[in-house]
Amino acid sequence: MKTVQFAAKFEYLDEIREFVGAIARDGGFSDKDVYNIQLATDEAASNIIEHAYEKISDGVLELSCGMRDNLITIVLVDHGESFDPSEIPLPDLKADLSKRKIGGLGIFLMRKLMDDVHYEVKPNNSNVLTMTKRKR
Amino acid sequence: MDITVQEFKHCDMITVKGRVDSATAPQLAQALESANDGGKYKLVVNMSDLEYMSSAGFRALLAAQRNCKRYNRGEVVLASVPERIREALELAGFTELFKTFDDPLQAVGHF
């Protein structure tokens, strides 16, 4: 696994996507999968920057990514406010325009695009989001 | 990300190039809002040179669609949506909320 630390700011999303994209591409994922892995990671990182670090200006986002036996694993660690993605209700995709909710979409996409999304709050005040996807 | 606005007789075309994410989506939202502020509610979003769009961009489109469709005064339509972006929009259930056109001029002709 390779690990990089980013300041928790939206301006680093480009680099965050590039980091996981390069590993996924080298790992032999299709262009479509590479795009989707980048999208899921972007959504995860954006949520951390926007929500976990909402009240913290100098937050750090630690991103690890690696391939093993056709499986890519992406781990995002933050030390901000904990929030459990499984508690966020799924958006109603059939709702008409006026009732369509703005939130929850990022988490929904992460779950759809990756095989597994796991969130854990560690005793040392860190939140660990782990996502995996298998190459088909 | 780069945004250009072109005025047509019956609509405005907003061409978005590059990548739309949480960092750049506010600029897209701003461009859509300023069209609305100028009394333009019939909008074509031309995505032919768009490489990437996260849900932050989807949200900007959704807010604009709500505002444009109010009082039946117009709508936002999407043109030349790249395959990867279309797949993500579909997954998010957004393709039902926007008419899409293969060609930007075809989208302009819709109005």
Side-chain angles (χ1 to χ4, degrees), chain A residues 19-134:
Chain A
F19 178 71
V20 294
I23 293 169
R25 245 187 312 270
D26 287 349
F29 278 98
S30 66
D31 286 351
K32 176 180 172 160
D33 281 342
V34 171
Y35 184 95
N36 289 337
I37 289 164
Q38 288 181 310
L39 179 55
T41 309
D42 173 327
E43 298 293 349
S46 294
N47 269 334
I48 291 169
I49 297 165
E50 194 173 343
H51 300 296
Y53 284 132
E54 190 185 359
K55 298 181 185 101
I56 300 162
S57 57
D58 58 351
V60 171
L61 175 61
E62 187 186 288
L63 173 64
S64 304
C65 181
M67 282 290 297
R68 193 176 180 178
D69 302 334
N70 288 333
L71 188 80
I72 192 166
T73 301
I74 296 156
V75 184
L76 294 102
V77 180
D78 71 77
H79 304 281
E81 193 83 29
S82 303
F83 85 113
D84 186 346
S86 65
E87 283 173 11
I88 309 286
L90 288 178
D92 179 0
L93 303 183
K94 296 285 173 221
D96 66 20
L97 188 62
S98 60
K99 296 196 185 73
R100 201 57 83 97
K101 291 278 192 302
I102 293 282
L105 205 53
I107 289 164
F108 174 79
L109 287 174
M110 283 154 55
R111 288 194 200 144
K112 281 283 190 187
L113 298 170
M114 302 300 284
D115 292 344
D116 188 59
V117 177
H118 178 77
Y119 186 79
E120 200 180 344
V121 180
K122 297 270 183 174
N124 64 346
N125 248 348
S126 59
N127 309 305
V128 182
L129 179 75
T130 307
M131 305 192 289
T132 57
K133 190 178 181 73
R134 191 166 292 283

Side-chain angles (χ1 to χ4, degrees), chain B residues 1-4 6 11-17 20 28-29 31-32 35 42-50 53 57 60-62 64-65 68 75-82 85 89 98-105 107-108 111:
Chain B
M1 190 200 61
D2 182 50
I3 294 179
T4 50
Q6 236 180 314
C11 67
D12 277 13
M13 181 153 80
I14 297 174
T15 301
V16 197
K17 294 180 182 174
V20 179
L28 172 62
L32 292 159
K42 294 173 178 167
L43 305 177
V44 174
V45 177
N46 177 5
M47 299 186 171
S48 39
D49 290 314
L50 189 62
M53 188 180 258
L61 292 175
L62 180 64
Q65 184 67 303
C68 288
E75 69 176 310
V76 177
V77 303
L78 310 179
S80 306
V81 186
I85 296 169
L89 283 167
F98 296 88
K99 288 197 183 95
T100 57
F101 296 88
D102 292 339
D103 179 73
L105 290 179
V108 168
F111 291 109

Side-chain angles (χ1 to χ4, degrees), chain B residues 27-78:
Chain B
Q27 283 166 258
L28 172 62
Q30 178 66 48
L32 292 159
E33 276 165 32
S34 41
N36 288 169
D37 290 344
K40 307 293 185 69
Y41 302 103
K42 294 173 178 167
L43 305 177
V44 174
V45 177
N46 177 5
M47 299 186 171
S48 39
D49 290 314
L50 189 62
E51 294 162 29
Y52 176 85
M53 188 180 258
S54 75
S55 70
F58 299 177
R59 284 196 284 270
L61 292 175
L62 180 64
Q65 184 67 303
R66 273 197 191 127
N67 202 28
C68 288
K69 279 201 164 175
R70 195 168 297 150
Y71 316 121
N72 266 331
R73 57 193 174 186
E75 69 176 310
V76 177
V77 303
L78 310 179

